[in-house]
Amino acid sequence: MGLKCEVMGWGRMFWGGPLASYLVYIDVQLIPAERCAKLLNVPVIGAMDDLLCAMDEENTTKQQPCYGDWGSPLMHGDIVYGIVSNIVGCGSANLPSVYTDVYKMVDWIEDKIETFSAGVFYFIDSLVLLAAAFAHLGSFVLFDFV
């Protein structure tokens, strides 16, 4: 088995069950892409390029992310390795959970942050200019009346 990780989320406690009323942590272990593809009955090449798979094979727990956990982190210590992307198991003891591999997607993530940040700054700059224009117009109009 691979690296032991922790997943946290606010999703359903079990298939068809209630949403968690507190942040729930589960323990899983990464599994090789070949094994994951075989368990999910998908081709290894292409389908698993930017994904990670993990399972809890402990017979007493069989924990997995469930509905409502999309976007939750797959962590080891304080490092995020993946993000819950596909709810496959959620109560099925023999299927792995699937995560987007953060490391392989870092360029895309940085691009989105940069794009979003530029948009936010452009919006803020536009508001400042608009406020300055109104202030200038207001003072100009006030000057005309004096």
Side-chain angles (χ1 to χ4, degrees), residues 81-114:
Y81 283 84
I83 298 171
V84 175
S85 59
N86 293 304
I87 304 298
V88 178
C90 185
S92 174
N94 299 320
L95 293 175
S97 46
V98 181
Y99 306 84
T100 300
D101 187 335
V102 172
Y103 178 75
K104 290 185 179 173
M105 299 301 292
V106 79
D107 290 337
W108 181 85
I109 293 168
E110 287 176 347
D111 180 57
K112 292 302 172 192
I113 290 171
E114 188 175 303

Side-chain angles (χ1 to χ4, degrees), residues 2 18 41 56 59 71 74 87 101 111 116 121 133 145:
N41 197 27
D56 174 16
N59 286 332
L74 170 73
I87 304 298
D101 187 335
D111 180 57
F116 179 72
F121 290 127
F145 286 112

Side-chain angles (χ1 to χ4, degrees), residues 32-85:
E34 296 79 17
R35 181 167 178 227
C36 182
K38 185 176 179 181
L39 289 167
L40 296 175
N41 197 27
V42 296
V44 178
I45 299 175
M48 306 303 289
D49 284 348
D50 57 356
L51 300 175
L52 297 171
C53 290
M55 291 181 76
D56 174 16
E57 295 191 281
E58 190 66 40
N59 286 332
T60 57
T61 53
K62 296 286 187 184
Q63 306 171 94
Q64 292 180 335
C66 205
Y67 298 98
D69 287 327
W70 289 286
S72 296
L74 170 73
M75 301 179 69
H76 177 77
D78 60 352
I79 299 172
V80 176
Y81 283 84
I83 298 171
V84 175
S85 59

